[in-house]
Amino acid sequence: MEKYDVAIIGGGSAGLAALMELSKLGLQAVVLEGAKPVGSKSVTGGILYSKNYRNAKVYNVEEVYKNFLDDAPVERRITGYYLNAVSENKVYTVDLTDAHNYQTNFAYSVLMVRMNKWFAAQAEEEAQKNGGGIVSGVHVSDIVWENSKTIVQTDELEPIQVNAVVAADGVNSEAALMTGARKKFDVEALYQGVKSVIRLPEDIIDERYGLKEGEGVAHLFAGDISRGHNGGGFIYTNKETLSVGLVYHLDSLIKSPIEPYTLLDSFLTIPQVSNYIKDEVPFVKEFDRDLPKEEQLRMKFGISKLLKSWEELRYTYYSKTARRKAIESRLYKSEEELRHRLDETRKELEEKFRVSFVTNYVELEYSAKLVPDGKRALMDKPYKNNVLFVGDAAGRGVFVGTRIEGINIGIDDAARAARAIARAKEHNDYSEEYMGRYYGELINESPYTDDIRKIDFEYLKIFVNACKEIPTESLNLFLRLGFMLLQKATVQDFARAITKMLDQRTLLALIETNEAYVKIPMEVAEKIGRTVNPDYKIKPPSIDERIAKIRINDDPEPHIKILDPNSRFIKSMVQLCPTKCYIMEILDKERFKSEVVLQHEGCIECGTCSKETDWKHPKGEKGVTYEYG
Ligand SMILES: Cc1cc2nc3c(=O)[nH]c(=O)nc-3n(C[C@H](O)[C@H](O)[C@H](O)COP(=O)(O)OP(=O)(O)OC[C@H]3O[C@@H](n4cnc5c(N)ncnc54)[C@H](O)[C@@H]3O)c2cc1C
Ligand code: SF4
């Protein structure tokens, strides 16, 4: 039997950080990951943070990966952070950059799959020094304890013997259920995130969002953004793409089910968003059906070849780096020549092939994933026997209104787990009482744990100050009182004392309401917003077109089994599954009898249906492989 000091289940950002830190501490560790390539099942919004807390230590990404700042494939440094209150064709924008910069060293937009690939390369290099590494394409099926040995079983490999396990297997952690460390998260403790990666040339992003080279912004949205459901939207600028999506309370969706892609489409098509994502997109007219078949084929080939060169020329022309490189390598003599070639190619498309150019947008990838709401999902005891839980698997994330943080917290957890395991190795004691409890202490010392549980008064003050133009009569009584207390210098000590007493859970019922998500932002936009009136309508792809683009290697054996096809929850999945895996099958037309059936082909492992199903990740290499994530 193969032996390692540690098995890490899951190679997302948290699991890979655990591998890096354990390896640096001299332990022999192995990541066991279902996805191939490793990290390609992760989805984020996403902004990766490095934080500073004056009185407490944080293990930031640049500390875990020493060459992060020089070498990591980050997208843009976030230099502006805005909240947009939206109503019909009006928008009021609050500048939250100061609130965002609070306790932040830096924040970069990232595409999770690319980022994970880089994390994996660094961590694997370090792990190999101790004989450890990464095995991708394997699904961990069980952890068993036999005669004081810990055995990790997979669907693909011989069992592996280890001294400790790090469970970094994400929001739908099977390790949590295998070990009995926790039950499945309640739907009230989860959000469903749905996202689209949109292509847009670099210079157009810079110009549209008012950015200098390398700078980036985040725009959050609330109000009339998608049919009155409780949640928010986001646009993050990447180098040559945008990450655009929505994060919604799962329980509010279950109460009033609606397809995630319908919500996404509603969001993408409101003028306040379509203005930010629109592009010039070629539209190929249908061929004359009377043309001979060979002629049609010849035309098709000609168009796709020319479209490809037009696209390449355009992305080179509108990217500072690509433009510079193309000229330095003498591919083009000058910028003017490049422009000329671009114009000529476009003209040829228009004149020879009757291609027209319309206002629309280019969607590269559609994805969805559950997000644990740290306030409700946080595991009080993130360990069981010799298994330590980190990141989403432990329900750890700051998701409070405008603060969205999960990646940085998983990395910090992983560094703490590594320290607890290294200490256990030194004392040859991997027991729950020794190693687990020490990990629990380290996690409680993490400033993130406080951040997840408590309201940060200083952050709130900066936030409220940014909102000072908002007419207070738009707020409900509770918020009005809160704003007043936070703004008045004379009662600050009183306000600070109150916020210290209240934890997030106490305040949720007051803050996370339809009023706060939808009604108040709409009223604010109506009262003081500016008008946005585009004269075009963008058209999102159909869900079938979206699914057709995702790489899914279906397992003929279902990895999800419905427990009760007649439960209200399962019925709601007919709408809530982001890739339409659930359908209502008519059993008896005359008696109006029908039943929910699951077609697991096309499952993107978002986890939405997990609460009332026997839910497992697919076997190794099977299932979804994202390109961006
Ligand atoms: C829409 C959206 C927006 C977000 N925005 C932000 C943001 O802006 N900033 C931020 O910091 N966070 C954000 N988050 C949260 C953040 O993305 C997550 O907290 C983070 O990616 C979780 O990392 P992880 O490593 O814990 O889990 P994951 O990335 O989910 O990794 C878990 C891994 O475990 C593997 N696995 C699971 N079970 C098994 C098994 N049995 N055997 C083998 N492998 C297994 C999976 O294949 C997967 O690769 C967002 C999330 C979403 C969905
Ligand atoms: S079947 Fe797959 S994609 Fe559909 S809700 Fe369940 S986990 Fe998500």
Side-chain angles (χ1 to χ4, degrees):
M1 197 180 316
E2 272 210 74
K3 288 184 186 164
Y4 289 91
D5 288 326
V6 190
I8 302 159
I9 312 177
S13 48
L16 293 167
L19 180 65
M20 187 71 180
E21 287 299 280
L22 284 161
S23 308
K24 281 197 230 161
L25 293 166
L27 282 93
Q28 191 188 31
V30 64
V31 162
L32 302 168
E33 164 60 50
K36 198 166 191 170
V38 66
S40 57
K41 286 182 189 285
S42 301
V43 177
T44 193
I47 302 179
L48 170 54
Y49 288 88
S50 165
K51 307 288 302 239
N52 61 67
Y53 291 84
R54 240 175 293 141
N55 303 321
K57 166 86 190 143
V58 195
Y59 297 93
N60 278 317
V61 63
E62 74 278 18
E63 185 175 333
V64 173
Y65 301 94
K66 292 287 179 224
N67 52 346
F68 177 83
L69 288 169
D70 298 326
D71 193 42
V74 290
E75 295 291 322
R76 287 171 182 259
R77 190 172 181 129
I78 299 299
T79 49
Y81 199 84
Y82 305 95
L83 174 63
N84 298 275
V86 170
S87 172
E88 226 185 324
N89 63 344
K90 288 192 144 192
V91 61
Y92 177 72
T93 306
V94 183
D95 185 344
L96 290 181
T97 310
D98 284 345
H100 177 255
N101 290 344
Y102 172 68
Q103 293 182 330
T104 297
N105 297 320
F106 59 76
Y108 281 104
S109 56
V110 295
L111 291 163
M112 206 64 243
V113 175
R114 289 185 184 172
M115 203 61 246
N116 278 345
K117 193 174 164 202
W118 186 86
F119 286 152
Q122 315 303 308
E124 188 157 42
E125 195 183 321
E126 192 65 37
Q128 281 168 353
K129 294 179 190 164
N130 311 318
I134 299 174
V135 187
S136 60
V138 290
H139 171 247
V140 174
S141 53
D142 211 351
I143 307 169
V144 286
W145 289 271
E146 262 173 23
N147 310 325
S148 73
K149 286 184 189 146
T150 306
I151 318 280
V152 175
Q153 295 178 340
T154 64
D155 289 330
E156 296 79 8
L157 310 170
E158 290 296 311
I160 298 168
Q161 190 187 326
V162 295
N163 295 322
V165 177
V166 175
D169 49 344
V171 58
N172 282 297
S173 169
E174 287 168 59
L177 306 181
M178 287 168 204
T179 57
R182 64 163 167 80
K183 295 196 183 107
K184 289 180 185 178
F185 290 129
D186 289 335
V187 289
E188 291 78 17
L190 292 165
Y191 301 103
Q192 187 191 54
V194 57
K195 178 183 160 188
S196 152
V197 175
I198 290 168
R199 197 167 186 205
L200 201 63
E202 183 186 345
D203 285 1
I204 296 182
I205 295 182
D206 285 352
E207 196 193 323
R208 188 168 298 164
Y209 292 84
L211 302 170
K212 294 202 200 87
E213 194 173 349
E215 284 182 352
V217 283
H219 278 277
L220 303 186
F221 294 82
D224 187 13
I225 56 170
S226 40
R227 311 192 179 193
H229 285 77
N230 286 358
F234 61 86
I235 301 182
Y236 301 143
T237 55
N238 302 318
K239 257 184 204 138
E240 291 193 323
T241 54
L242 303 170
S243 294
V244 184
L246 294 161
V247 179
Y248 275 82
H249 285 272
L250 186 56
D251 56 338
S252 97
L253 288 178
I254 288 170
K255 264 184 217 135
S256 149
I258 183 164
E259 300 84 4
Y261 41 91
T262 306
L263 285 180
L264 184 64
D265 291 350
S266 295
F267 182 54
L268 294 169
T269 49
I270 58 170
Q272 297 87 338
V273 171
S274 57
N275 257 351
Y276 276 128
I277 64 174
K278 67 179 178 182
D279 197 10
E280 181 179 60
V281 179
F283 176 74
V284 183
K285 294 197 181 73
E286 279 204 10
F287 297 120
D288 183 350
R289 281 169 194 269
D290 294 338
L291 278 177
K293 271 257 154 54
E294 285 113 68
E295 179 62 9
Q296 287 195 30
L297 267 174
R298 202 185 57 75
M299 296 262 289
K300 250 190 191 162
F301 181 68
I303 291 179
S304 63
K305 212 171 136 200
L306 210 57
L307 274 177
K308 200 163 170 257
S309 11
W310 174 79
E311 222 174 70
E312 273 171 21
L313 279 162
R314 188 160 178 264
Y315 275 84
T316 308
Y317 179 74
Y318 283 112
S319 151
K320 288 170 201 67
T321 329
R323 205 163 53 220
R324 211 163 33 227
K325 271 193 193 151
I327 295 168
E328 273 167 19
S329 66
R330 296 172 197 252
L331 205 57
Y332 305 98
K333 281 197 208 97
S334 62
E335 223 173 286
E336 289 70 37
E337 191 198 332
L338 181 57
R339 176 82 232 188
H340 179 69
R341 285 281 298 279
L342 175 62
D343 292 342
E344 286 297 300
T345 314
R346 182 187 165 124
K347 209 162 136 202
E348 200 179 337
L349 277 167
E350 283 170 325
E351 288 174 1
K352 196 165 160 194
F353 294 109
R354 298 196 308 125
V355 171
S356 54
F357 288 81
V358 296
T359 303
N360 205 347
Y361 78 104
V362 182
E363 189 170 300
L364 296 175
E365 185 172 86
Y366 166 78
S367 58
K369 187 92 173 169
L370 287 186
V371 190
D373 174 1
K375 304 186 289 296
R376 296 153 164 123
L378 180 82
M379 271 171 95
D380 288 329
K381 195 179 140 213
Y383 52 89
K384 179 84 189 203
N385 297 349
N386 52 351
V387 182
L388 310 183
F389 291 82
V390 300
D392 279 14
R396 291 174 61 78
V398 175
F399 288 89
V400 206
T402 50
R403 278 191 65 195
I404 307 171
E405 295 175 34
I407 315 168
N408 49 324
I409 299 175
I411 292 174
D412 180 77
D413 296 348
R416 288 169 200 273
R419 273 147 189 82
I421 299 172
R423 181 172 171 265
K425 184 175 178 174
E426 234 173 81
H427 292 85
N428 195 26
D429 186 350
Y430 298 91
S431 65
E432 182 171 316
E433 290 68 37
Y434 187 76
M435 181 178 77
R437 280 174 70 168
Y438 182 59
Y439 174 58
E441 281 168 29
L442 292 181
I443 281 291
N444 279 334
E445 280 167 20
S446 164
Y448 291 131
T449 306
D450 242 13
D451 248 5
I452 295 169
R453 286 198 183 120
K454 292 265 178 193
I455 298 151
D456 186 328
F457 177 77
E458 299 306 324
Y459 175 82
L460 259 189
K461 241 172 62 183
I462 304 172
F463 179 89
V464 167
N465 190 39
C467 300
K468 59 178 179 288
E469 304 295 329
I470 290 180
T472 45
E473 67 269 21
S474 302
L475 307 176
N476 62 25
L477 192 65
F478 168 74
L479 288 175
R480 211 181 295 174
L481 185 70
F483 269 51
M484 193 198 78
L485 283 176
L486 286 157
Q487 280 172 335
K488 286 230 176 344
T490 45
V491 288
Q492 296 267 304
D493 285 343
F494 174 61
R496 189 176 282 114
I498 291 185
T499 46
K500 265 199 178 149
M501 270 160 40
L502 299 171
D503 71 0
Q504 304 277 21
R505 287 180 211 196
T506 325
L507 278 178
L508 289 178
L510 298 164
I511 294 173
E512 291 191 335
T513 57
N514 196 260
E515 211 177 349
Y517 279 118
V518 183
K519 288 190 190 133
I520 294 174
M522 278 176 73
E523 202 177 313
V524 170
E526 277 301 326
K527 280 204 175 116
I528 53 172
R530 63 178 196 282
T531 305
V532 188
N533 264 332
D535 50 7
Y536 55 85
K537 186 117 181 116
I538 61 158
K539 190 173 173 299
S542 71
I543 183 60
D544 294 336
E545 286 167 325
R546 281 172 166 150
I547 298 170
K549 268 196 192 171
I550 311 174
R551 241 175 74 201
I552 307 175
N553 176 8
D554 279 318
D555 188 345
E557 256 182 68
H559 59 281
I560 305 171
K561 287 183 195 118
I562 294 179
L563 298 176
D564 173 6
N566 290 314
S567 80
R568 187 165 170 258
F569 177 90
I570 285 297
K571 282 184 180 158
S572 72
M573 288 307 130
V574 174
Q575 278 163 300
L576 296 189
C577 171
T579 46
K580 294 200 302 187
C581 292
Y582 285 84
I583 53 162
M584 190 65 89
E585 200 169 80
I586 312 243
L587 297 177
D588 185 337
K589 224 174 180 178
E590 270 146 38
R591 288 188 205 153
F592 303 105
K593 262 186 94 179
S594 54
E595 193 174 82
V596 174
V597 176
L598 167 66
Q599 298 171 322
H600 62 95
E601 299 93 351
C603 168
I604 51 172
E605 298 151 52
C606 72
T608 306
C609 63
S610 63
K611 184 72 185 171
E612 292 193 16
T613 53
D614 175 0
W615 199 100
K616 298 211 168 52
H617 291 83
K619 289 205 197 82
E621 283 194 59
K622 301 286 184 194
V624 68
T625 304
Y626 287 119
E627 198 182 332
Y628 301 95

